Amino acid sequence: MNSTRSKIAFGIAWVLFWTLMMLVAVEDYRRDGGTAWWQPMLWEGSSAIVATLLLFIQRRIGARYNHLIATPWRWFAIQACIVPLYWIAFVPLAFGIRHAVYALAGSSYDHEPWGQVFVYESLKITVFAGLFTVIAFGLLSWRELLGAKLRAEQANALLREAQLQSLARQMQPHFLFNALNTISSLMHTDVQRADAVLVQLSDMLRAALALGQRPQATLEEELRLARAYAGVMEGRFDGRAQVDWRIDEAVLGVLLPAMSVQPLLENVFKHTVERRRAPTRILVSAAREGDSLVLRVEDDAGRLEADQAGDSGIGLANLRARLAALHGERASLTLSQLAPGGVRTEVRLPCAS
């Protein structure tokens, strides 16, 4: 695409240049009292045809050296080696066309002696060729700059994709370990309930493994996994946890890092529910605020500890890394203490849906 645009821009500049030359020649001829306007048009037209042919040959020869554009002196040296082609071919071809047309019109084409013609026309065509060689250099440099920028963006995208996939894969063994630990805990207290939870857990693990293959998932897919996880954990902590959901349906299609809601819930169960005997209420909410999706998980009894203020465990640390890889400073994950009790975990990220 960039190559096509460069060629079009160069072609437009070339046509405009020779159109201007032709108009100037016609105007000068008219001021000198000439009436056969076809003559100045022939003079400049023949020059344009031959110059275009020679320029095309120059570009075909020089194209194989476009890789030298990063070292301008070498590129210009190659172009300079092609300049003698103009000196050798321009005058015979251009003036040959003029003499042929005049002869067909039953007239003769008079001009200065051939020596003077060769010197003058060679100098003139050298200036023209040099001008457009500089223009070609500018266009090629611009194209190379855009190409380098595109390659850098593609490399960054591939790097970011690899990073996200690595982080997503890292979550799978972590998630599986915690899921199996849940079953192990229930087996020692209530085998029947453990069996029921195991059925829920199989569906949850299937969803988790599917999400782990992708760097991003919709909020709706994430909530499906999070609800299954919450159901398992509510079963494990019988009567000690209640999860409420307050989700704006308008944001269900928003993309966020895969397996990002479940770690927020896991953080609450790990730091609050496991450490107290009294019931804990947990609220999961998601809504759009301006151009951002705001996802919150908060409880009514937790205390924000020193280790929780930073990357508390692999879950939140992993999620922070993926948010940064996807959105940079436009995304954030924060934990804050609520009054009189409770901890809120808030995720903000650009909302493109």
Side-chain angles (χ1 to χ4, degrees):
M1 180 62 72
N2 290 332
S3 176
T4 302
R5 289 179 179 176
S6 297
K7 291 178 180 177
I8 292 174
F10 190 89
I12 291 174
W14 186 256
V15 171
L16 290 177
F17 172 79
W18 284 108
T19 301
L20 177 62
M21 292 294 293
M22 194 172 295
L23 292 175
V24 170
V26 170
E27 180 62 20
D28 288 343
Y29 181 78
R30 187 187 65 82
R31 288 180 178 178
D32 291 339
T35 56
W37 289 13
W38 63 270
Q39 294 181 3
M41 295 183 67
L42 170 64
W43 305 337
E44 297 303 327
S46 60
S47 295
I49 292 172
V50 175
T52 301
L53 174 63
L54 296 177
L55 182 68
F56 176 76
I57 295 173
Q58 178 187 2
R59 290 304 308 133
R60 288 298 298 270
I61 296 173
R64 70 188 67 177
Y65 302 103
N66 283 349
H67 63 281
L68 299 176
I69 202 72
T71 51
W73 69 270
R74 295 180 64 188
W75 187 86
F76 277 107
I78 296 295
Q79 305 306 313
C81 292
I82 305 175
V83 170
L85 174 66
Y86 289 89
W87 301 342
I88 296 170
F90 180 77
V91 170
L93 292 176
F95 279 71
I97 292 173
R98 297 175 194 178
H99 279 285
V101 174
Y102 268 81
L104 290 174
S107 182
S108 61
Y109 177 52
D110 298 325
H111 53 77
E112 300 294 331
W114 283 110
Q116 297 180 25
V117 168
F118 266 96
V119 173
Y120 174 75
E121 295 295 337
S122 295
L123 289 174
K124 187 171 70 171
I125 197 63
T126 299
V127 172
F128 293 164
L131 172 64
F132 278 90
T133 298
V134 172
I135 293 175
F137 174 79
L139 291 173
L140 288 172
S141 298
W142 175 72
R143 189 179 71 185
E144 183 64 23
L145 178 64
L146 291 181
K149 182 179 179 182
L150 178 60
R151 289 191 295 272
E153 290 176 350
Q154 290 174 339
N156 288 334
L158 291 173
L159 179 62
R160 184 170 63 250
E161 184 76 11
Q163 180 184 7
L164 288 170
Q165 290 178 352
S166 175
L167 290 167
R169 286 193 297 268
Q170 183 184 24
M171 284 300 295
Q172 290 185 16
H174 172 71
F175 184 86
L176 287 170
F177 172 80
N178 286 300
L180 293 174
N181 188 52
T182 297
I183 294 294
S184 177
S185 299
L186 285 174
M187 289 294 292
H188 293 286
T189 58
D190 191 334
V191 175
Q192 190 173 17
R193 187 150 55 93
D195 183 65
V197 171
L198 185 60
V199 174
Q200 290 181 301
L201 194 58
S202 64
D203 293 335
M204 183 179 67
L205 291 176
R206 189 179 298 111
L209 291 172
L211 288 178
Q213 302 302 316
R214 300 166 16 215
Q216 295 189 88
T218 64
L219 177 60
E220 184 175 14
E221 293 173 312
E222 282 294 305
L223 290 175
R224 190 178 302 122
L225 172 61
R227 289 179 192 272
Y229 175 80
V232 171
M233 299 306 285
E234 284 177 322
R236 175 183 173 185
F237 297 101
D238 187 24
R240 290 167 53 191
Q242 178 183 341
V243 182
D244 298 320
W245 307 84
R246 191 178 301 163
I247 309 298
D248 182 356
E249 293 187 358
V251 296
L252 290 176
V254 175
L255 289 173
L256 60 164
M259 298 184 69
S260 57
V261 180
Q262 180 272 333
L264 306 183
L265 277 170
E266 179 186 322
N267 198 55
V268 177
F269 280 100
K270 175 182 178 182
H271 291 280
T272 302
V273 178
E274 285 187 358
R275 298 182 180 183
R276 63 195 305 265
R277 307 305 302 177
T280 300
R281 296 199 62 171
I282 304 169
L283 174 64
V284 180
S285 63
R288 183 169 186 161
E289 293 185 8
D291 294 330
S292 298
L293 168 66
V294 180
L295 174 67
R296 295 190 179 100
V297 176
E298 55 189 69
D299 63 79
D300 63 353
R303 292 291 175 185
L304 187 60
E305 301 174 2
D307 66 324
Q308 285 181 272
D311 293 336
S312 58
I314 190 173
L316 297 189
N318 184 290
L319 180 54
R320 276 195 175 96
R322 288 187 288 158
L323 286 169
L326 279 170
H327 305 293
E329 296 182 354
R330 296 180 299 162
S332 63
L333 189 161
T334 58
L335 289 84
S336 56
Q337 181 68 57
L338 302 177
V343 173
R344 171 184 292 162
T345 305
E346 179 179 281
V347 174
R348 287 180 178 265
L349 69 157
C351 183
S353 176

